Amino acid sequence: MKLATFARIAKQLAIEFAAPASVAIAYTIVSESRNGNGWDLIDALAKFSSAFFLSSWLLSQVFRVAKQHRTDDHFTTIQTNLASLLEQIESRTNHLLSNITGGDSYCFLMFLELNRLRKHSDELGKATLLLQRLGQYPISELSIWIVDRDLELPEGAGVGDIAKRGKHIEIGGFARRRKVLTQSLTFDASSNEKCFDIYLSAMNGTIHQKIWVQRIEGQWLVASRVEKDGIVLLDSVDSSFPRTDDGDVAWW
């Protein structure tokens, strides 16, 4: 054993046994001083040994309990820091994934310039399409199908059958807040009313949008409802759009 190592061990032992030795010496002196027969070496050593052993044991228990408390506090701190770290990792991972998939962001369409029709025909409706995104994350792999509800569909037709008969617009990635699409929507306006189902499919799910347009006194009015998994995300209705007695739009 190296001298430096031995010196450190000896120093540590001296520190740990200093208090028990002091207590044992004090006890021995007091005890022997009260003994009327004077000091007896054997008796003094026995008293010192007993006092030293007892005080060493008591102090070791105190140190053990104190150390256990420090250890428990240390583990509690580690656990708290680890939980905080895991929350940060989860938050950053979700943020990263949301930037890839789109997270809780969604898109919907708005019909613009409906009232700027060709003067020579009241049977033709034409809408400029504005694509808008709500949410902080960009949308990935976005495709849009616009379906006229007046289309004759086979009984029991599903979303896929309906989409195949609609107008398809492929967008791909969409990081902007809004964009006027180069594609417009032309429809038969002879009945002064039209309903559309719009499906906006992206990596983070499919949005179902209902758009209902009505021409009243020569002006086109628009009502729009945006849903996902049956939950209404957004309603936008012109103030003059016809409503039920309850003040609601009679959505299909």
Side-chain angles (χ1 to χ4, degrees), residues 21-33 46-48 50-52:
S22 300
V23 171
I25 292 172
Y27 171 77
T28 303
I29 293 174
V30 171
S31 179
E32 287 298 318
S33 298
K47 291 178 180 179
F48 174 83
S50 300
F52 181 78

Side-chain angles (χ1 to χ4, degrees), residues 113-119 121-126 187 189 191-193 213-222 238 240:
E113 301 182 339
L114 274 170
N115 292 304
R116 298 178 62 179
L117 303 178
R118 299 177 182 178
K119 295 182 179 180
S121 174
D122 287 334
E123 298 183 354
L124 181 67
K126 186 176 182 180
F187 57 91
S191 64
N192 294 323
E193 182 178 16
V213 296
Q214 291 191 33
R215 182 163 51 190
I216 300 176
E217 297 180 355
Q219 295 292 314
W220 284 100
L221 304 176
V222 183
D238 287 340
S240 300

Side-chain angles (χ1 to χ4, degrees), residues 168-235:
H168 178 225
I169 303 174
E170 188 68 32
I171 301 296
F174 188 69
R176 299 169 60 177
R177 284 293 178 183
R178 59 185 60 85
K179 177 184 179 181
V180 176
L181 303 181
T182 56
Q183 302 91 332
S184 59
L185 178 65
T186 302
F187 57 91
D188 179 12
S190 58
S191 64
N192 294 323
E193 182 178 16
K194 210 69 175 174
C195 296
F196 298 94
D197 281 313
I198 303 174
Y199 301 92
L200 301 99
S201 176
M203 187 180 291
N204 62 346
T206 299
I207 293 294
H208 178 205
Q209 182 178 6
K210 303 173 182 178
I211 290 187
W212 189 355
V213 296
Q214 291 191 33
R215 182 163 51 190
I216 300 176
E217 297 180 355
Q219 295 292 314
W220 284 100
L221 304 176
V222 183
S224 170
R225 166 165 285 187
V226 181
E227 301 176 344
K228 184 174 183 180
D229 299 328
I231 299 174
V232 177
L233 302 178
L234 181 67
D235 274 340

Side-chain angles (χ1 to χ4, degrees), residues 52-100:
F52 181 78
F53 172 78
L54 181 61
S55 58
S56 297
W57 180 82
L58 287 175
L59 287 175
S60 68
Q61 296 306 307
V62 172
F63 292 148
R64 181 186 64 79
V65 173
K67 183 178 180 180
Q68 183 63 43
H69 278 292
R70 289 196 299 271
T71 302
D72 291 342
D73 292 340
H74 183 61
F75 278 129
T76 300
T77 302
I78 292 176
Q79 186 178 16
T80 302
N81 293 338
L82 182 59
S84 177
L85 179 60
L86 290 176
E87 288 180 0
Q88 294 180 25
I89 293 174
E90 182 180 6
S91 176
R92 294 183 181 182
T93 301
N94 290 337
H95 181 71
L96 177 61
L97 291 176
S98 294
N99 273 289
I100 297 173

